[in-house]
Amino acid sequence: MRRSYLLDLSVTLFLAPFGLAASLLIYVALISQTAFDSLTQVFLSVSKNPYLFVVSIALTLAGTAIFVRVHEAPTHGERLRTASSLVIGLGGASAVLAYFAAFLFSWNLGTAGQLMVEGRFFSVYPLVLFFEGLLLRVGGGQALKFKSFLEPLLALLTLPIFFLIVFLSEASLASLLSGILLIVFLFWALERYWK
């Protein structure tokens, strides 16, 4: 009973940053809307909130620690590899949901990409999750297996490439390229994690 409670707690801690970000976006959009000229400024004000970033990282690390401790895999290395896959999947979900939220606040794919570049929380948080997944994979004893090491590393490189495309391109080109990049990432994630 205690193990299942702790697993539920770890899942809650993993999902809490998503709930916090969504709640803060809704709160600022509805309550503080008169202080901002546009919804894009609401998005940027939330995405640059340092407390949201620090609390989200702390919640994710706590969830990871609990998950690795109570997961039922037979070895510690297998628990770390499972946690790595879970954290990388959360990073991908975080990036896609943040881009979707930026799109909802701007109604333009190129502007949504630019908001992701300008914002701090929504752009750096997925990178931190990808990096954590990479460290967990290495800690799980798979650093010498190149394919296993390469998967989280590719996920870690996906967002900087996306930001570079948006930063260097025109808005219409950014819309096309960012859409393609997100579709490729989604297909990769679906093939890799939801077989």
Side-chain angles (χ1 to χ4, degrees), residues 2-178:
R2 184 171 183 269
R3 182 182 295 267
S4 65
Y5 168 75
L6 289 174
L7 276 174
D8 291 344
L9 176 62
S10 71
V11 170
T12 303
L13 291 173
F14 281 135
L15 297 178
F18 296 99
L20 285 174
S23 300
L24 194 55
L25 278 171
I26 292 169
Y27 173 77
V28 173
L30 295 178
I31 305 301
S32 305
Q33 158 178 347
T34 56
F36 299 99
D37 294 333
S38 67
L39 285 177
T40 57
Q41 289 180 344
V42 170
F43 182 86
L44 286 175
S45 74
V46 172
S47 67
K48 292 181 179 182
N49 186 328
Y51 302 111
L52 178 63
F53 180 73
V54 170
V55 168
S56 296
I57 297 298
L59 290 171
T60 303
L61 290 174
T64 305
I66 293 170
F67 182 84
V68 169
R69 183 168 173 85
V70 299
H71 185 60
E72 295 181 357
T75 66
H76 185 67
E78 289 179 24
R79 291 194 298 267
L80 286 176
R81 286 190 293 276
T82 303
S84 170
S85 296
L86 181 63
V87 168
I88 291 169
L90 284 172
S94 174
V96 170
L97 288 173
Y99 188 79
F100 181 70
F103 175 73
L104 287 179
F105 278 76
S106 66
W107 290 103
N108 183 304
L109 289 174
T111 305
Q114 292 168 350
L115 288 174
M116 289 283 291
V117 172
E118 286 181 51
R120 295 185 189 127
F121 170 73
F122 293 122
S123 49
V124 176
Y125 180 67
L127 289 174
V128 170
L129 292 180
F130 292 149
F131 187 67
E132 181 187 348
L134 177 65
L135 291 178
L136 287 169
R137 189 66 55 99
V138 171
Q142 293 219 347
L144 298 178
K145 295 181 182 176
F146 184 71
K147 183 182 177 202
S148 177
F149 182 73
L150 186 64
E151 289 168 359
L153 190 60
L154 287 175
L156 182 63
L157 294 175
T158 302
L159 283 179
I161 291 169
F162 166 75
F163 295 144
L164 185 65
I165 288 170
V166 172
F167 182 73
L168 295 176
S169 63
E170 300 288 327
S172 60
L173 181 61
S175 302
L176 175 66
L177 293 176
S178 60

